[in-house]
Amino acid sequence: MAHPLTIALFGITRDIVGASSLTLSIEKSTDVDSLLDQLRAQYPRLTELNSLLVAVNSEYAEGNQLLKKGDEIALIPPVSGG
Amino acid sequence: MILLTHQPIDVPAVMAHVQTGSAGAVDIFIGTVRNQTQQKRVVRLEYEAYEPMALKKMQELVDEVRRRWPVEQVAIVHRVGVLDIGEAAVVIAVSTPHRAEAFEACRWLIDTLKEVVPIWKKEVFEDGEVWVAAHA
């Protein structure tokens, strides 16, 4: 069953998408890599970034991590603090 | 002390926070806004953070630095929002019994912060702007 997933966006990803968050409908067994594939297909400029990670509940996620309903998701483009 | 702030960083207050009677050394790193990058004049910087995750990662850095070095006190303060030339973007302060550990711990904190903490910096030029490190 599909469920909605809201993704928080920062920095260059916010500029590319043109919003500070976006909501996707994902299948129950979607993992991080397939979420990224879906987003890169929808927003090709994401493929130009040096790196693109996903944070799940404020932790960097591996590609095979499954996304659960209620997870707090964010796209993490290359960080540049300091 | 772990803090993200929209206000100018009070550097003496950060230093005071880490001073203890048993520390023989306080090392402080201040990252400041430079007026040019690759020969282009920078007008201002804009920082943004994924705040809950940034604070969590900063806490993990503090936990790890305490495991690696005999740290008495540690503070990490990062500014967010619009910064003018010369302002402090980040202040890291560490106190230890002796100076060698203070230098090492402070350097490890700023180097690791730049790699893992979700904070982003946009350089604004007279004729455009760029998110630092986003593209090759």
Side-chain angles (χ1 to χ4, degrees), chain B residues 21-34:
Chain B
S22 49
V26 171
D27 197 58
I28 184 158
F29 172 80
I30 306 174
T32 55
V33 179
R34 195 173 46 213

Side-chain angles (χ1 to χ4, degrees), chain B residues 53-119:
Chain B
M53 182 173 176
L55 291 169
K56 182 181 179 204
K57 290 288 149 193
M58 288 156 76
Q59 180 64 54
E60 288 174 12
L61 295 188
V62 165
D63 295 344
E64 182 64 21
V65 85
R66 287 183 176 283
R67 274 192 288 272
R68 293 190 186 202
W69 287 279
V71 169
E72 301 274 348
Q73 287 294 331
V74 53
I76 306 178
V77 182
H78 205 298
R79 182 91 178 266
V80 289
V82 176
L83 276 74
D84 294 323
I85 305 305
E87 286 197 280
V90 60
V91 178
I92 293 178
V94 182
S95 58
T96 61
H98 304 285
R99 70 183 181 284
E101 302 95 308
F103 280 121
E104 286 174 16
C106 191
R107 178 166 191 150
W108 181 85
L109 282 169
I110 181 61
D111 288 350
T112 314
L113 176 147
K114 289 173 81 83
E115 288 173 7
V116 305
V117 177
I119 297 175

